[in-house]
Amino acid sequence: MERPALILLYALTITLGVVAYWPSLSVPFYLDDFSSIVDNPLLTTDWGLLNQHYFGRQLTYYSFALTYEVFGEEPLVYHLTNMVLHLAVAASVALLSKRLVTIVGGGRAYQHYCIFLTFALFLLAPLNTQAVTYIVQRAALLSALFYVLALWAYLGARTYGGKQRLIYTIAVLVFISMGAISKQNIVTLPVAFLLLELFLFKTVSRLWQWVLYSVLAVGLAGLFAIDLIPNLSEHSLLHVIDQATRLQTEMPRYEYFAHQLVILWQYIYKFFVPYPLLLEYPTTVYSATSSQVLLSGVGHLAVIVVAISLRQRLPLITVCVGLFYLAHSVESALIPIVDLAFEHRTYLPNAFLAVLVGSCLAGLLSRYRLRTVVFVAIALTLVFTFLTYKRNELWGKPISFYRHELTHVGDNWRSYAALGLFEAKRGRFKHGVKWLRVAIKVGSERGQLQAKPVIAYMDLLHKTGNTPRAKYIGVLAAKSFTRNQDKSMVWSKLAQYQVEHGNCDFAKGLIERSLQLDSSNIIAQRLARACSP
């Protein structure tokens, strides 16, 4: 394919990407956008505190703070930034694909098709919309950008010599540094480099391969074994490791891993059949030995075994499969998180899935006439463009969006709470109170309730002059929550009401209790400074 034709093809694809995400520019703030941007006091105060509170994601929140400083609460600018970042990530994935196919070889037609299909698939994949359109998930965009660029630069450093190698090596270090302040999953990059050495460059001897596999197996087994040790001392090294590698305390690590074995297949299915896409997926509680978990585990193991068996003939497939699972290993395997499934967690893994699918399609399409290739490429891009456009269009209609959620998920406290907050933001306080009550009721019945809807309900009562009722609800909630973070948030809200009425002496006890439960609570920290002499 000639260069002018390629340029035209990429230009048309970028245009389709802009069209697909155009509706996102009119999408309002959702859910955590409010606590992270609109109502986040750190964005307008001390960037040092911002750095401290969002350690590991500083770059994401610096970008929010800068945008807030210049443009305030205008969603358009935040969405436009995310759209540009998504285009940049898609371009970086195409660059990575180009470098990979150059190393593994193949005909010129195959390489062109692989790079283009990878670019189009990732740019237009409807499954990526949550990471792009849900503003607060900018962390996923930034970390994916620097993760992919670090891999691209590493391959450059391994391929070239002289000054180019030095430049690429410096680039690797820069991209790792930027990724380290974007999102925590950058920690898997050293293992990604090792995967490239094992299966692409084949520089690791068989003996050292077995040593590495053994060390990895022992490390993972040790991480899971921590859950089985009773009565760990809070000051022991094992307890520190356990707490540093989890974002929720209720579910044992092995149970979380078992659930993710099933959820990973849902993610893969949604990449190819992106309907219905949801903000939050209904999660069935599985035992670690259930048939669904076992079958899912066997399926993943089969994929990995097949990929490794192809390492000599088709190393690109082996590398992509390895990177896909590695990219999922933090949020969708080893680190227990409160919410079991969210689409934005697939954003980085989708980059490697796009390369994998693009390379397989390119291998098939390079054997047929150009007309067939063009027809398939156009059909694929148009279908994905349409589905992505419709998903973004739905994001722009909050009422329809939440109805869609409730239709496919059923009673879900998060959707009811979001609906209540949306109504409250529009000044429809009665409707807001109604939906927040439903959210609290559903969440309580299912044992899933978190502090945010309770605090939103308290605030609505407070704004409508029913502060005693708000305080009563807060005290009941603080005593019923099991997570320290939820308790801390409620106590700090109760302290805030006291400070607003000039009762700092009484508020100090509530502030102290809040900080004892969660020393990183921003509201409690600010109230403590406000009440200090």
Side-chain angles (χ1 to χ4, degrees), residues 17-56:
V18 172
V19 169
Y21 280 95
W22 190 260
S24 72
L25 298 179
S26 59
V27 172
F29 290 114
Y30 273 84
L31 297 172
D32 289 346
D33 290 341
F34 291 103
S35 59
S36 294
I37 301 172
V38 179
D39 302 322
N40 189 347
L42 294 185
L43 295 190
T44 57
T45 54
D46 189 342
W47 279 33
L49 286 176
L50 195 71
N51 180 70
Q52 176 185 343
H53 190 78
Y54 296 108
F55 182 77

mmCIF file of all heavy atoms in Angstrom, residues 17-56:
data_model
loop_
_atom_site.group_PDB
_atom_site.id
_atom_site.type_symbol
_atom_site.label_atom_id
_atom_site.label_comp_id
_atom_site.label_asym_id
_atom_site.label_seq_id
_atom_site.Cartn_x
_atom_site.Cartn_y
_atom_site.Cartn_z
ATOM 1 N N GLY A 17 -12.645 8.411 14.869
ATOM 2 C CA GLY A 17 -12.450 8.438 16.315
ATOM 3 C C GLY A 17 -12.994 9.710 16.939
ATOM 4 O O GLY A 17 -13.644 9.673 17.992
ATOM 5 N N VAL A 18 -12.755 10.844 16.274
ATOM 6 C CA VAL A 18 -13.276 12.118 16.769
ATOM 7 C C VAL A 18 -14.798 12.112 16.729
ATOM 8 O O VAL A 18 -15.471 12.563 17.685
ATOM 9 C CB VAL A 18 -12.713 13.289 15.942
ATOM 10 C CG1 VAL A 18 -13.400 14.596 16.327
ATOM 11 C CG2 VAL A 18 -11.201 13.403 16.134
ATOM 12 N N VAL A 19 -15.364 11.584 15.647
ATOM 13 C CA VAL A 19 -16.827 11.495 15.533
ATOM 14 C C VAL A 19 -17.395 10.612 16.635
ATOM 15 O O VAL A 19 -18.405 10.947 17.274
ATOM 16 C CB VAL A 19 -17.220 10.938 14.144
ATOM 17 C CG1 VAL A 19 -18.708 10.592 14.104
ATOM 18 C CG2 VAL A 19 -16.890 11.951 13.055
ATOM 19 N N ALA A 20 -16.746 9.465 16.874
ATOM 20 C CA ALA A 20 -17.242 8.521 17.876
ATOM 21 C C ALA A 20 -17.248 9.127 19.270
ATOM 22 O O ALA A 20 -18.139 8.840 20.088
ATOM 23 C CB ALA A 20 -16.395 7.254 17.858
ATOM 24 N N TYR A 21 -16.257 9.965 19.572
ATOM 25 C CA TYR A 21 -16.159 10.550 20.915
ATOM 26 C C TYR A 21 -16.697 11.971 20.998
ATOM 27 O O TYR A 21 -16.644 12.589 22.066
ATOM 28 C CB TYR A 21 -14.702 10.507 21.392
ATOM 29 C CG TYR A 21 -14.317 9.144 21.927
ATOM 30 C CD1 TYR A 21 -13.696 8.198 21.109
ATOM 31 C CD2 TYR A 21 -14.618 8.783 23.225
ATOM 32 C CE1 TYR A 21 -13.372 6.937 21.581
ATOM 33 C CE2 TYR A 21 -14.298 7.529 23.720
ATOM 34 C CZ TYR A 21 -13.674 6.613 22.883
ATOM 35 O OH TYR A 21 -13.366 5.360 23.368
ATOM 36 N N TRP A 22 -17.208 12.479 19.902
ATOM 37 C CA TRP A 22 -17.749 13.840 19.917
ATOM 38 C C TRP A 22 -18.858 14.025 20.956
ATOM 39 O O TRP A 22 -18.885 15.037 21.675
ATOM 40 C CB TRP A 22 -18.240 14.220 18.523
ATOM 41 C CG TRP A 22 -18.575 15.676 18.400
ATOM 42 C CD1 TRP A 22 -19.810 16.258 18.455
ATOM 43 C CD2 TRP A 22 -17.638 16.743 18.211
ATOM 44 N NE1 TRP A 22 -19.713 17.624 18.314
ATOM 45 C CE2 TRP A 22 -18.386 17.954 18.157
ATOM 46 C CE3 TRP A 22 -16.254 16.807 18.068
ATOM 47 C CZ2 TRP A 22 -17.785 19.192 17.981
ATOM 48 C CZ3 TRP A 22 -15.653 18.044 17.898
ATOM 49 C CH2 TRP A 22 -16.409 19.219 17.850
ATOM 50 N N PRO A 23 -19.799 13.064 21.092
ATOM 51 C CA PRO A 23 -20.850 13.251 22.112
ATOM 52 C C PRO A 23 -20.299 13.351 23.526
ATOM 53 O O PRO A 23 -20.968 13.899 24.411
ATOM 54 C CB PRO A 23 -21.724 11.992 21.947
ATOM 55 C CG PRO A 23 -21.463 11.520 20.558
ATOM 56 C CD PRO A 23 -20.030 11.843 20.294
ATOM 57 N N SER A 24 -19.093 12.825 23.764
ATOM 58 C CA SER A 24 -18.545 12.853 25.122
ATOM 59 C C SER A 24 -18.238 14.276 25.575
ATOM 60 O O SER A 24 -18.147 14.540 26.785
ATOM 61 C CB SER A 24 -17.271 12.011 25.207
ATOM 62 O OG SER A 24 -16.186 12.637 24.535
ATOM 63 N N LEU A 25 -18.093 15.197 24.631
ATOM 64 C CA LEU A 25 -17.765 16.575 24.995
ATOM 65 C C LEU A 25 -18.909 17.268 25.741
ATOM 66 O O LEU A 25 -18.688 18.272 26.415
ATOM 67 C CB LEU A 25 -17.394 17.378 23.742
ATOM 68 C CG LEU A 25 -16.168 16.883 22.967
ATOM 69 C CD1 LEU A 25 -15.927 17.753 21.740
ATOM 70 C CD2 LEU A 25 -14.934 16.856 23.857
ATOM 71 N N SER A 26 -20.102 16.734 25.619
ATOM 72 C CA SER A 26 -21.253 17.330 26.314
ATOM 73 C C SER A 26 -21.708 16.487 27.510
ATOM 74 O O SER A 26 -22.776 16.735 28.078
ATOM 75 C CB SER A 26 -22.425 17.492 25.338
ATOM 76 O OG SER A 26 -22.801 16.241 24.785
ATOM 77 N N VAL A 27 -20.891 15.513 27.908
ATOM 78 C CA VAL A 27 -21.240 14.653 29.046
ATOM 79 C C VAL A 27 -20.971 15.402 30.353
ATOM 80 O O VAL A 27 -19.901 16.005 30.518
ATOM 81 C CB VAL A 27 -20.416 13.347 29.002
ATOM 82 C CG1 VAL A 27 -20.619 12.533 30.280
ATOM 83 C CG2 VAL A 27 -20.807 12.520 27.778
ATOM 84 N N PRO A 28 -21.901 15.389 31.288
ATOM 85 C CA PRO A 28 -21.680 16.077 32.574
ATOM 86 C C PRO A 28 -20.757 15.269 33.479
ATOM 87 O O PRO A 28 -20.316 14.167 33.125
ATOM 88 C CB PRO A 28 -23.091 16.166 33.162
ATOM 89 C CG PRO A 28 -23.785 14.966 32.612
ATOM 90 C CD PRO A 28 -23.243 14.779 31.220
ATOM 91 N N PHE A 29 -20.486 15.792 34.645
ATOM 92 C CA PHE A 29 -19.708 15.051 35.637
ATOM 93 C C PHE A 29 -20.532 13.880 36.160
ATOM 94 O O PHE A 29 -21.752 13.966 36.292
ATOM 95 C CB PHE A 29 -19.316 15.961 36.802
ATOM 96 C CG PHE A 29 -18.302 17.006 36.447
ATOM 97 C CD1 PHE A 29 -18.640 18.351 36.475
ATOM 98 C CD2 PHE A 29 -17.010 16.656 36.096
ATOM 99 C CE1 PHE A 29 -17.717 19.330 36.161
ATOM 100 C CE2 PHE A 29 -16.076 17.615 35.767
ATOM 101 C CZ PHE A 29 -16.422 18.958 35.798
ATOM 102 N N TYR A 30 -19.837 12.781 36.485
ATOM 103 C CA TYR A 30 -20.481 11.577 37.024
ATOM 104 C C TYR A 30 -19.780 11.126 38.300
ATOM 105 O O TYR A 30 -18.546 11.245 38.422
ATOM 106 C CB TYR A 30 -20.408 10.417 36.016
ATOM 107 C CG TYR A 30 -21.528 10.367 35.004
ATOM 108 C CD1 TYR A 30 -21.476 11.123 33.836
ATOM 109 C CD2 TYR A 30 -22.628 9.547 35.190
ATOM 110 C CE1 TYR A 30 -22.486 11.065 32.892
ATOM 111 C CE2 TYR A 30 -23.649 9.475 34.250
ATOM 112 C CZ TYR A 30 -23.573 10.231 33.110
ATOM 113 O OH TYR A 30 -24.589 10.171 32.182
ATOM 114 N N LEU A 31 -20.533 10.619 39.240
ATOM 115 C CA LEU A 31 -20.034 9.858 40.377
ATOM 116 C C LEU A 31 -18.759 10.441 40.990
ATOM 117 O O LEU A 31 -18.765 11.513 41.557
ATOM 118 C CB LEU A 31 -19.827 8.395 39.950
ATOM 119 C CG LEU A 31 -21.109 7.661 39.524
ATOM 120 C CD1 LEU A 31 -20.774 6.308 38.942
ATOM 121 C CD2 LEU A 31 -22.075 7.525 40.669
ATOM 122 N N ASP A 32 -17.632 9.723 40.862
ATOM 123 C CA ASP A 32 -16.383 10.145 41.509
ATOM 124 C C ASP A 32 -15.797 11.411 40.896
ATOM 125 O O ASP A 32 -14.835 11.963 41.454
ATOM 126 C CB ASP A 32 -15.352 9.014 41.441
ATOM 127 C CG ASP A 32 -15.710 7.847 42.346
ATOM 128 O OD1 ASP A 32 -16.595 8.031 43.204
ATOM 129 O OD2 ASP A 32 -15.115 6.765 42.203
ATOM 130 N N ASP A 33 -16.327 11.867 39.767
ATOM 131 C CA ASP A 33 -15.889 13.162 39.225
ATOM 132 C C ASP A 33 -16.134 14.272 40.242
ATOM 133 O O ASP A 33 -15.355 15.231 40.329
ATOM 134 C CB ASP A 33 -16.658 13.502 37.939
ATOM 135 C CG ASP A 33 -16.264 12.614 36.770
ATOM 136 O OD1 ASP A 33 -15.179 12.008 36.834
ATOM 137 O OD2 ASP A 33 -17.040 12.530 35.800
ATOM 138 N N PHE A 34 -17.205 14.146 41.009
ATOM 139 C CA PHE A 34 -17.542 15.202 41.971
ATOM 140 C C PHE A 34 -16.543 15.232 43.128
ATOM 141 O O PHE A 34 -16.008 16.281 43.472
ATOM 142 C CB PHE A 34 -18.970 15.005 42.491
ATOM 143 C CG PHE A 34 -20.019 15.251 41.444
ATOM 144 C CD1 PHE A 34 -20.668 14.198 40.822
ATOM 145 C CD2 PHE A 34 -20.354 16.544 41.070
ATOM 146 C CE1 PHE A 34 -21.629 14.420 39.844
ATOM 147 C CE2 PHE A 34 -21.319 16.782 40.099
ATOM 148 C CZ PHE A 34 -21.947 15.716 39.480
ATOM 149 N N SER A 35 -16.279 14.053 43.724
ATOM 150 C CA SER A 35 -15.367 14.035 44.863
ATOM 151 C C SER A 35 -13.924 14.288 44.438
ATOM 152 O O SER A 35 -13.136 14.843 45.214
ATOM 153 C CB SER A 35 -15.463 12.691 45.592
ATOM 154 O OG SER A 35 -15.147 11.613 44.715
ATOM 155 N N SER A 36 -13.563 13.919 43.203
ATOM 156 C CA SER A 36 -12.181 14.076 42.751
ATOM 157 C C SER A 36 -11.916 15.437 42.118
ATOM 158 O O SER A 36 -10.775 15.904 42.110
ATOM 159 C CB SER A 36 -11.831 12.979 41.735
ATOM 160 O OG SER A 36 -11.831 11.709 42.338
ATOM 161 N N ILE A 37 -12.977 16.097 41.595
ATOM 162 C CA ILE A 37 -12.768 17.362 40.878
ATOM 163 C C ILE A 37 -13.634 18.475 41.451
ATOM 164 O O ILE A 37 -13.133 19.441 42.041
ATOM 165 C CB ILE A 37 -13.057 17.181 39.367
ATOM 166 C CG1 ILE A 37 -12.150 16.098 38.773
ATOM 167 C CG2 ILE A 37 -12.868 18.500 38.618
ATOM 168 C CD1 ILE A 37 -12.487 15.705 37.361
ATOM 169 N N VAL A 38 -14.930 18.354 41.278
ATOM 170 C CA VAL A 38 -15.841 19.455 41.612
ATOM 171 C C VAL A 38 -15.790 19.818 43.097
ATOM 172 O O VAL A 38 -15.699 20.998 43.458
ATOM 173 C CB VAL A 38 -17.287 19.092 41.201
ATOM 174 C CG1 VAL A 38 -18.240 20.223 41.566
ATOM 175 C CG2 VAL A 38 -17.358 18.791 39.719
ATOM 176 N N ASP A 39 -15.848 18.820 43.967
ATOM 177 C CA ASP A 39 -15.895 19.073 45.409
ATOM 178 C C ASP A 39 -14.570 18.761 46.101
ATOM 179 O O ASP A 39 -14.538 18.573 47.325
ATOM 180 C CB ASP A 39 -17.015 18.232 46.050
ATOM 181 C CG ASP A 39 -18.374 18.529 45.441
ATOM 182 O OD1 ASP A 39 -18.623 19.716 45.137
ATOM 183 O OD2 ASP A 39 -19.173 17.595 45.266
ATOM 184 N N ASN A 40 -13.490 18.696 45.343
ATOM 185 C CA ASN A 40 -12.194 18.340 45.913
ATOM 186 C C ASN A 40 -11.467 19.603 46.383
ATOM 187 O O ASN A 40 -10.978 20.384 45.558
ATOM 188 C CB ASN A 40 -11.344 17.599 44.882
ATOM 189 C CG ASN A 40 -10.080 17.016 45.489
ATOM 190 O OD1 ASN A 40 -9.698 17.341 46.609
ATOM 191 N ND2 ASN A 40 -9.426 16.141 44.749
ATOM 192 N N PRO A 41 -11.351 19.832 47.691
ATOM 193 C CA PRO A 41 -10.733 21.076 48.181
ATOM 194 C C PRO A 41 -9.245 21.165 47.860
ATOM 195 O O PRO A 41 -8.684 22.264 47.811
ATOM 196 C CB PRO A 41 -10.958 21.002 49.694
ATOM 197 C CG PRO A 41 -11.101 19.541 49.999
ATOM 198 C CD PRO A 41 -11.782 18.961 48.798
ATOM 199 N N LEU A 42 -8.587 20.032 47.623
ATOM 200 C CA LEU A 42 -7.143 20.057 47.374
ATOM 201 C C LEU A 42 -6.790 20.659 46.023
ATOM 202 O O LEU A 42 -5.655 21.106 45.831
ATOM 203 C CB LEU A 42 -6.574 18.644 47.464
ATOM 204 C CG LEU A 42 -6.628 17.974 48.838
ATOM 205 C CD1 LEU A 42 -5.922 16.637 48.814
ATOM 206 C CD2 LEU A 42 -6.025 18.867 49.904
ATOM 207 N N LEU A 43 -7.726 20.666 45.092
ATOM 208 C CA LEU A 43 -7.434 21.210 43.764
ATOM 209 C C LEU A 43 -7.225 22.723 43.814
ATOM 210 O O LEU A 43 -6.603 23.294 42.910
ATOM 211 C CB LEU A 43 -8.560 20.888 42.777
ATOM 212 C CG LEU A 43 -8.787 19.406 42.447
ATOM 213 C CD1 LEU A 43 -9.762 19.288 41.285
ATOM 214 C CD2 LEU A 43 -7.499 18.684 42.123
ATOM 215 N N THR A 44 -7.752 23.351 44.844
ATOM 216 C CA THR A 44 -7.670 24.822 44.913
ATOM 217 C C THR A 44 -6.824 25.301 46.086
ATOM 218 O O THR A 44 -6.803 26.484 46.381
ATOM 219 C CB THR A 44 -9.080 25.421 45.049
ATOM 220 O OG1 THR A 44 -9.718 24.859 46.205
ATOM 221 C CG2 THR A 44 -9.914 25.111 43.821
ATOM 222 N N THR A 45 -6.137 24.382 46.751
ATOM 223 C CA THR A 45 -5.350 24.808 47.917
ATOM 224 C C THR A 45 -3.877 24.460 47.735
ATOM 225 O O THR A 45 -3.176 25.073 46.946
ATOM 226 C CB THR A 45 -5.899 24.161 49.203
ATOM 227 O OG1 THR A 45 -5.965 22.733 49.023
ATOM 228 C CG2 THR A 45 -7.284 24.669 49.520
ATOM 229 N N ASP A 46 -3.433 23.453 48.446
ATOM 230 C CA ASP A 46 -2.010 23.139 48.533
ATOM 231 C C ASP A 46 -1.673 21.948 47.646
ATOM 232 O O ASP A 46 -2.155 20.843 47.871
ATOM 233 C CB ASP A 46 -1.666 22.824 49.992
ATOM 234 C CG ASP A 46 -0.174 22.696 50.218
ATOM 235 O OD1 ASP A 46 0.558 22.513 49.233
ATOM 236 O OD2 ASP A 46 0.249 22.776 51.380
ATOM 237 N N TRP A 47 -0.824 22.167 46.622
ATOM 238 C CA TRP A 47 -0.419 21.069 45.751
ATOM 239 C C TRP A 47 0.467 20.076 46.489
ATOM 240 O O TRP A 47 0.599 18.928 46.076
ATOM 241 C CB TRP A 47 0.293 21.614 44.513
ATOM 242 C CG TRP A 47 -0.661 22.097 43.469
ATOM 243 C CD1 TRP A 47 -1.868 22.675 43.679
ATOM 244 C CD2 TRP A 47 -0.489 22.018 42.051
ATOM 245 N NE1 TRP A 47 -2.466 22.986 42.484
ATOM 246 C CE2 TRP A 47 -1.635 22.592 41.468
ATOM 247 C CE3 TRP A 47 0.516 21.551 41.222
ATOM 248 C CZ2 TRP A 47 -1.802 22.696 40.099
ATOM 249 C CZ3 TRP A 47 0.364 21.643 39.850
ATOM 250 C CH2 TRP A 47 -0.790 22.207 39.299
ATOM 251 N N GLY A 48 1.088 20.509 47.591
ATOM 252 C CA GLY A 48 1.866 19.583 48.400
ATOM 253 C C GLY A 48 0.972 18.534 49.025
ATOM 254 O O GLY A 48 1.294 17.344 49.044
ATOM 255 N N LEU A 49 -0.198 18.972 49.530
ATOM 256 C CA LEU A 49 -1.167 18.022 50.069
ATOM 257 C C LEU A 49 -1.733 17.129 48.970
ATOM 258 O O LEU A 49 -2.023 15.947 49.192
ATOM 259 C CB LEU A 49 -2.310 18.778 50.768
ATOM 260 C CG LEU A 49 -1.993 19.404 52.125
ATOM 261 C CD1 LEU A 49 -3.185 20.201 52.630
ATOM 262 C CD2 LEU A 49 -1.606 18.328 53.129
ATOM 263 N N LEU A 50 -1.907 17.693 47.780
ATOM 264 C CA LEU A 50 -2.375 16.907 46.638
ATOM 265 C C LEU A 50 -1.399 15.774 46.352
ATOM 266 O O LEU A 50 -1.803 14.626 46.126
ATOM 267 C CB LEU A 50 -2.503 17.816 45.410
ATOM 268 C CG LEU A 50 -3.305 17.291 44.223
ATOM 269 C CD1 LEU A 50 -4.778 17.266 44.547
ATOM 270 C CD2 LEU A 50 -3.066 18.170 43.002
ATOM 271 N N ASN A 51 -0.118 16.105 46.378
ATOM 272 C CA ASN A 51 0.926 15.115 46.141
ATOM 273 C C ASN A 51 0.913 14.037 47.219
ATOM 274 O O ASN A 51 1.057 12.843 46.930
ATOM 275 C CB ASN A 51 2.284 15.806 46.105
ATOM 276 C CG ASN A 51 3.425 14.844 45.875
ATOM 277 O OD1 ASN A 51 3.580 14.305 44.790
ATOM 278 N ND2 ASN A 51 4.225 14.613 46.903
ATOM 279 N N GLN A 52 0.697 14.458 48.457
ATOM 280 C CA GLN A 52 0.693 13.515 49.577
ATOM 281 C C GLN A 52 -0.521 12.596 49.537
ATOM 282 O O GLN A 52 -0.392 11.381 49.740
ATOM 283 C CB GLN A 52 0.708 14.297 50.888
ATOM 284 C CG GLN A 52 0.621 13.433 52.137
ATOM 285 C CD GLN A 52 0.512 14.272 53.400
ATOM 286 O OE1 GLN A 52 0.803 15.462 53.410
ATOM 287 N NE2 GLN A 52 0.072 13.652 54.484
ATOM 288 N N HIS A 53 -1.684 13.163 49.260
ATOM 289 C CA HIS A 53 -2.912 12.377 49.333
ATOM 290 C C HIS A 53 -3.066 11.440 48.136
ATOM 291 O O HIS A 53 -3.616 10.342 48.282
ATOM 292 C CB HIS A 53 -4.120 13.313 49.414
ATOM 293 C CG HIS A 53 -5.397 12.598 49.726
ATOM 294 N ND1 HIS A 53 -5.724 12.183 51.000
ATOM 295 C CD2 HIS A 53 -6.419 12.200 48.929
ATOM 296 C CE1 HIS A 53 -6.900 11.579 50.974
ATOM 297 N NE2 HIS A 53 -7.340 11.578 49.743
ATOM 298 N N TYR A 54 -2.602 11.864 46.965
ATOM 299 C CA TYR A 54 -2.775 11.049 45.760
ATOM 300 C C TYR A 54 -1.435 10.490 45.288
ATOM 301 O O TYR A 54 -1.142 10.469 44.101
ATOM 302 C CB TYR A 54 -3.429 11.874 44.658
ATOM 303 C CG TYR A 54 -4.825 12.333 44.996
ATOM 304 C CD1 TYR A 54 -5.088 13.672 45.292
ATOM 305 C CD2 TYR A 54 -5.876 11.431 45.071
ATOM 306 C CE1 TYR A 54 -6.358 14.096 45.634
ATOM 307 C CE2 TYR A 54 -7.158 11.847 45.409
ATOM 308 C CZ TYR A 54 -7.386 13.180 45.681
ATOM 309 O OH TYR A 54 -8.648 13.587 46.013
ATOM 310 N N PHE A 55 -0.637 10.034 46.241
ATOM 311 C CA PHE A 55 0.670 9.487 45.915
ATOM 312 C C PHE A 55 0.504 8.295 44.958
ATOM 313 O O PHE A 55 -0.282 7.386 45.194
ATOM 314 C CB PHE A 55 1.396 9.024 47.182
ATOM 315 C CG PHE A 55 2.773 8.494 46.926
ATOM 316 C CD1 PHE A 55 3.820 9.368 46.680
ATOM 317 C CD2 PHE A 55 3.016 7.131 46.903
ATOM 318 C CE1 PHE A 55 5.099 8.891 46.432
ATOM 319 C CE2 PHE A 55 4.286 6.644 46.654
ATOM 320 C CZ PHE A 55 5.326 7.533 46.415
ATOM 321 N N GLY A 56 1.249 8.323 43.875
ATOM 322 C CA GLY A 56 1.126 7.289 42.843
ATOM 323 C C GLY A 56 0.229 7.711 41.702
ATOM 324 O O GLY A 56 0.251 7.092 40.641
#
